[in-house]
Amino acid sequence: MQKVFIIYLALLTLSLATAPFQVQCPSSPLIREAKNELCSEESLYLRTKEIKTKNKLMDFLESLTEAKFNSKFYKRVRKDPPKLGIAISGGGYRSMLIGTGFITQMNDYGLFEYSDYIAGLSGGSWILMDLVVQNFEVGSLLKEWDLDEDLLPGIPEFDISEEDIVTNAKKEYSENDIRIKKREVKKTQITSFSEFYDQVELVANTIGERSEECRLTKRNLNPLTRLKRIFFPNNTFTETDAKIETFKTVLDFYKNLHLKTKPKKMEGFQISFTDYWGKAIVQRLKKSFEVHNHNFSFSKLVQSSKKFKECSVPIPIFIANCKNGLLSNVIFEFTPFEFGSWEDILRLFVKLPYLGSKIVLGKAVKCVNNFDDLGFITATSSSIFNNVLIFIWNLASQSSRDAMKALNMVMGIFGLGKEEIFSISKDSSRLETDYAVYQPNPFYLYPGKDNVLTSKNHLYLVDGGEDGENIPLRTLVIPERKLDVIFVLDSSSDIDNYPNGSKLKRIFEKLDEENIHYQFPNNVKTFSHPIVIGCNAIKRPGHDSFLPIIIYHANSYHGHVSNTSTFKITYNQSEVESMLLTGREVFSNDYDIHYKNCLGCILTKRTMDRLPKKKKFSPFCLQCFKDYCYS
């Protein structure tokens, strides 16, 4: 018995080690006011990286036999090399797989490691997590992912737009619904698996006999029919050993999530759906990094990476939007160095290792490390998947009290079935935990910043896709990063799960408000090849630098079906290879040698634009600009 107890204590200690823990506060300030500069760590990294990776670009340019660049051109590029960034959109596994193929082809050209930044959100953020886990070895991407296992066991694959998921997940309850929910949650008790099984069957069959008025016509599925499909896909309820084992496996998965999330709660931190979602993402990795590293801290993992320490890879930037006070399109970012926002309403950053510390009026009161859990940050950036669970909950709650009761039982077993999980109260003191909750707010009561982002001791962060900003572009356009070219990969699901450019147009509209103007083609019927936007050298408002060129790549048909649902959560090897190949073809324009040569002209255009002389470009490059530029 004593041995069992010792083992238990060891496991408990290991579990608690993954949670945030208190540390001594440093003597230097933890908050940085972002005036017109990057943080010192980011600036130093970029200066060192330019020296380390300059030859990557030169090797690429020298391989372009059609372009026939001369010695003066190479001399100029060596003296003033262009700065590149990469923006990967959301779109679930579709985006992750297309994006992995995309940067793999970039890597083959030598352009991935040369790039200064790679920003991602939602499915794009999964690539960033994979890069960090794999020490930024592009050739090792996907090796740790169980793509043939359900991302969320028990949740069926279905084809529905992200916008529809968000809209339905956020529906409010009436005051009567709230009373019903609170009352019935308290009544819910599960004494055994068999009792639960019987109750689900009873309620499901009862609902099935009701009139069509009880059905959600928008889905053409009764909520409990959907619930039956989740746990009993063959739509029968014969209690066989096989079905019980399958059901138990699903329950064990969610119970395990609950146990892995509990240590953070025990340390006094607010838990949200995103914490569970973050643990679910990490569990799809084949080896337990939490066990090997004792933590999954983003800052610690990156700083321990050999390639990152050598300053030879792009800086990963996770993007999320803030919803404090019902804000819209207010971007926050996580880099390996800091967390915060460049938006005029804030322009404050906290050192990332100390995220989760109690900081009031800009001064540290209590400091912690390990709050910057990579799974939690990745889940924050891809929190549209929170809404899958909330959506299913709401389907039931809108149908009947019995359906609500049944789903309360389900979520209760998962450790998620508590009424405070959902935004059902007008009480402003209750945290809306269907958002990612960042509490304490490091910018709480910061002097001179009296607004919705500093007045409360919490921040609500969500997937950028919830605000329609599904491409992490604006974080790269800021003048402080001085980028010349940004590769954009759009894997949004606008029409038939292919993008139609609407997400980029929406971002351009937001940039217009900041007096940054890009034009987007109005009559493009297909995105079968890259479109280069902003070729003309236009100065940034109030700055001496030019706006970056945007090379827009859209997921499209290249001989392989790549318009899978955002919520397709398993892929076999054949599907994976097909998606990766599409990503390669999207970047290379179907391995077009002429386009590859033109890419040399496009990447160095801002370098040449900075020259005072007018005759800067060869006839070849001028033709390339005509072929691919829209401005």
Side-chain angles (χ1 to χ4, degrees), residues 290-512:
E290 288 177 315
V291 170
H292 292 293
N293 294 297
H294 302 290
N295 67 75
F296 210 49
S297 161
F298 176 33
S299 57
K300 290 177 183 176
L301 286 170
V302 171
Q303 298 299 341
S304 65
S305 163
K306 182 175 181 290
K307 284 201 166 189
F308 197 85
K309 282 195 272 190
E310 293 172 348
C311 303
S312 62
V313 291
I315 296 172
I317 306 177
F318 291 82
I319 299 300
N321 285 11
C322 188
K323 303 304 288 185
N324 278 35
L326 302 179
L327 287 173
S328 177
N329 297 99
V330 173
I331 292 175
F332 276 69
E333 67 177 37
F334 303 81
T335 75
F337 312 112
E338 56 184 10
F339 161 78
S341 177
W342 293 98
E343 304 274 4
D344 288 339
I345 192 175
L346 191 68
R347 293 190 76 86
L348 295 175
F349 288 86
V350 62
K351 291 182 181 297
L352 188 69
Y354 294 95
L355 183 62
S357 299
K358 183 178 180 180
I359 303 172
V360 182
L361 295 167
K363 297 181 180 180
V365 177
K366 175 184 176 182
C367 292
V368 302
N369 283 171
N370 258 29
F371 189 93
D372 63 326
D373 180 89
L374 181 59
F376 182 51
I377 290 172
T378 304
T380 299
S381 183
S382 60
S383 58
I384 195 170
F385 280 80
N386 294 357
N387 293 317
V388 176
L389 296 176
I390 300 169
F391 177 67
I392 292 171
W393 179 291
N394 283 351
L395 281 175
S397 70
Q398 293 164 20
S399 176
S400 71
R401 296 185 185 185
D402 288 336
M404 190 68 221
K405 181 179 180 180
L407 206 48
N408 264 328
M409 285 188 272
V410 176
M411 303 301 274
I413 288 181
F414 290 172
L416 302 174
K418 298 181 179 180
E419 74 272 17
E420 64 264 26
I421 289 292
F422 301 95
S423 308
I424 58 174
S425 174
K426 302 298 182 182
D427 180 5
S428 60
S429 65
R430 175 180 290 178
L431 295 179
E432 299 181 6
T433 49
D434 51 326
Y435 297 139
V437 178
Y438 283 73
Q439 186 185 44
N441 175 4
F443 315 116
Y444 182 49
L445 300 180
Y446 192 85
K449 299 283 185 179
D450 184 13
N451 57 55
V452 70
L453 294 179
T454 60
S455 60
K456 300 291 185 182
N457 193 26
H458 61 264
L459 294 172
Y460 293 141
L461 299 182
V462 299
D463 187 319
E466 294 202 20
D467 286 344
E469 195 158 347
N470 201 38
I471 303 171
L473 179 61
R474 285 201 289 134
T475 194
L476 299 179
V477 170
I478 63 169
E480 289 81 359
R481 294 202 158 116
K482 301 177 181 178
L483 291 182
D484 295 310
V485 178
I486 302 172
F487 293 98
V488 168
L489 174 60
D490 188 359
S491 297
S492 303
S493 60
D494 298 320
I495 299 177
D496 296 328
N497 289 330
Y498 282 124
N500 64 0
S502 60
K503 300 297 188 298
L504 186 62
K505 289 180 182 179
R506 189 172 300 185
I507 292 172
F508 285 172
E509 290 170 0
K510 183 66 178 176
L511 288 173
D512 279 339

Side-chain angles (χ1 to χ4, degrees), residues 103-372:
I103 65 173
T104 299
Q105 190 62 36
M106 282 192 74
N107 195 55
D108 287 352
Y109 284 3
L111 296 175
F112 174 73
E113 290 191 355
Y114 177 77
S115 299
D116 285 339
Y117 299 95
I118 177 168
L121 64 79
S122 202
S125 73
W126 301 350
I127 297 176
L128 302 189
M129 183 174 110
D130 203 9
L131 281 167
V132 172
V133 166
Q134 296 298 345
N135 187 35
F136 296 90
E137 294 285 354
V138 173
S140 297
L141 292 178
L142 302 182
K143 286 187 177 179
E144 293 299 338
W145 284 82
D146 270 329
L147 290 165
D148 56 351
E149 293 289 333
D150 287 345
L151 185 60
L152 288 170
I155 303 300
E157 291 187 350
F158 52 94
D159 194 353
I160 185 171
S161 72
E162 294 96 315
E163 185 175 355
D164 203 7
I165 281 286
V166 172
T167 301
N168 283 281
K170 298 299 181 185
K171 285 186 177 178
E172 294 185 357
Y173 298 97
S174 69
E175 299 244 339
N176 191 47
D177 291 329
I178 297 169
R179 286 195 295 272
I180 292 169
K181 184 179 293 187
K182 289 180 178 178
R183 183 172 63 251
E184 294 187 340
V185 167
K186 291 177 182 177
K187 288 182 179 179
T188 299
Q189 291 182 348
I190 306 297
T191 57
S192 69
F193 173 80
S194 296
E195 179 184 346
F196 167 75
Y197 184 97
D198 291 338
Q199 289 189 57
V200 170
E201 179 185 6
L202 175 64
V203 177
N205 290 336
T206 301
I207 298 299
E209 296 170 359
R210 296 192 176 194
S211 69
E212 289 298 311
E213 290 180 358
C214 288
R215 297 181 180 272
L216 292 178
T217 56
K218 188 170 186 178
R219 291 280 151 256
N220 294 320
L221 274 178
N222 179 276
L224 262 295
T225 301
R226 181 177 291 272
L227 186 62
K228 288 163 69 176
R229 288 190 178 187
I230 291 173
F231 297 107
F232 308 99
N234 58 5
N235 206 31
T236 62
F237 284 81
T238 304
E239 190 166 330
T240 64
D241 291 340
K243 284 180 182 173
I244 292 175
E245 287 306 311
T246 299
F247 192 68
K248 284 182 177 178
T249 299
V250 173
L251 293 183
D252 285 344
F253 176 86
Y254 290 97
K255 286 180 182 179
N256 191 32
L257 294 190
H258 189 52
L259 290 174
K260 287 190 172 186
T261 304
K262 196 171 183 179
K264 181 177 176 181
K265 185 175 183 180
M266 291 173 64
E267 292 297 319
F269 293 95
Q270 176 67 51
I271 299 302
S272 68
F273 249 104
T274 307
D275 288 278
Y276 292 95
W277 170 225
K279 297 301 182 185
I281 297 173
V282 174
Q283 283 196 205
R284 292 282 60 83
L285 300 176
K286 292 177 183 177
K287 65 180 179 181
S288 177
F289 289 89
E290 288 177 315
V291 170
H292 292 293
N293 294 297
H294 302 290
N295 67 75
F296 210 49
S297 161
F298 176 33
S299 57
K300 290 177 183 176
L301 286 170
V302 171
Q303 298 299 341
S304 65
S305 163
K306 182 175 181 290
K307 284 201 166 189
F308 197 85
K309 282 195 272 190
E310 293 172 348
C311 303
S312 62
V313 291
I315 296 172
I317 306 177
F318 291 82
I319 299 300
N321 285 11
C322 188
K323 303 304 288 185
N324 278 35
L326 302 179
L327 287 173
S328 177
N329 297 99
V330 173
I331 292 175
F332 276 69
E333 67 177 37
F334 303 81
T335 75
F337 312 112
E338 56 184 10
F339 161 78
S341 177
W342 293 98
E343 304 274 4
D344 288 339
I345 192 175
L346 191 68
R347 293 190 76 86
L348 295 175
F349 288 86
V350 62
K351 291 182 181 297
L352 188 69
Y354 294 95
L355 183 62
S357 299
K358 183 178 180 180
I359 303 172
V360 182
L361 295 167
K363 297 181 180 180
V365 177
K366 175 184 176 182
C367 292
V368 302
N369 283 171
N370 258 29
F371 189 93
D372 63 326

